[in-house]
Amino acid sequence: AQSVTQLDSHVSVSEGTPVLLRCNYSSSYSPSLFWYVQHPNKGLQLLLKYTSAATLVKGINGFEAEFKKSETSFHLTKPSAHMSDAAEYFCVVSDRNAGGTSYGKLTFGQGTILTVHP
Amino acid sequence: KAGVTQTPRYLIKTRGQQVTLSCSPISGHRSVSWYQQTPGQGLQFLFEYFSETQRNKGNFPGRFSGRQFSNSRSEMNVSTLELGDSALYLCASSLEGPQYFGPGTRLLVL
């Protein structure tokens, strides 16, 4: 069974400082991993995805994540936070079966609320 | 390309009633998944439909059901509503890759 643990429920940073949101995962097969962001009263927006190509994944709005199989981690980073980054972030895993097909069942972490101070 | 659309956006029902929510996927996407989001339980998978067939199912009671039409549009139905069904219901579509989410339907059960 697949699972995701986001290690921090809240992260607070100052504008212009780096962001680190931590995520560990558990998966039976080779997983697909994603980060989504949710702004208040909005749906979920895909930030980036890992699907067994490069282990360092670049996403939108300057976000990156690195897949580390030995540590079962997929932490999200950004060099310099912006006020507009304030939102809730979800680390998500989707198991692929032995044939490599990714099915439509996503397992979400509990979310990390990012606060950005001026 | 238009994104995922969900109707209605807001809904108020009373206990015991039933409700139907609708989701129109991105054009060309054949997979539609549904999720429930609550403050206590977070985001939980309800079910996934692909080519009009339920392909995956989460751990929800039988009061929660869904279907998909030949044009890939999907509906989910909740019968005999309970207070605990109050939530944001999110629909997502995909082309066997990342899922793209709609804005959600916020259901309040009184």
Side-chain angles (χ1 to χ4, degrees), chain B residues 2 22-23 28 44-45 48 52 56 60 74 77-78 86-87 89 103 105:
Chain B
S22 180
C23 171
Q44 294 184 285
F45 172 76
E48 182 215 2
E52 302 178 65
N56 273 298
F60 278 80
S74 177
N77 184 275
V78 188
S86 294
Y89 290 89
T105 294

Side-chain angles (χ1 to χ4, degrees), chain A:
Chain A
Q2 57 198 25
S3 66
V4 176
T5 302
Q6 291 183 241
L7 299 170
D8 306 292
S9 58
H10 291 83
V11 169
S12 181
V13 302
S14 297
E15 191 175 22
T17 64
V19 175
L20 170 63
L21 305 183
R22 299 181 296 163
C23 171
N24 287 346
Y25 71 91
S26 170
S27 174
S28 303
Y29 296 104
S30 176
S32 293
L33 292 160
F34 310 88
W35 277 96
Y36 283 85
V37 61
Q38 187 175 35
H39 288 91
N41 300 313
K42 295 286 179 69
L44 292 155
Q45 181 184 19
L46 177 67
L47 274 180
L48 49 79
K49 64 181 186 289
Y50 166 78
T51 54
S52 80
T55 56
L56 181 61
V57 181
K58 293 187 185 298
I60 62 172
N61 301 335
F63 285 95
E64 292 184 349
E66 186 171 8
F67 173 73
K68 291 187 176 180
K69 187 175 180 178
S70 61
E71 298 176 10
T72 60
S73 69
F74 190 58
H75 301 334
L76 181 71
T77 61
K78 183 173 180 177
S80 176
H82 192 272
M83 295 295 290
S84 61
D85 295 329
E88 189 164 17
Y89 292 78
F90 294 93
C91 182
V92 181
V93 64
S94 174
D95 257 343
R96 287 187 278 183
N97 64 8
T101 303
S102 183
Y103 288 111
K105 177 181 178 181
L106 300 182
T107 299
F108 286 78
Q110 285 300 102
T112 298
I113 296 173
L114 175 65
T115 302
V116 183
H117 298 286

Side-chain angles (χ1 to χ4, degrees), chain B residues 84-97:
Chain B
D85 297 333
S86 294
L88 180 66
Y89 290 89
L90 291 162
C91 160
S93 74
S94 76
L95 195 59
E96 297 292 40

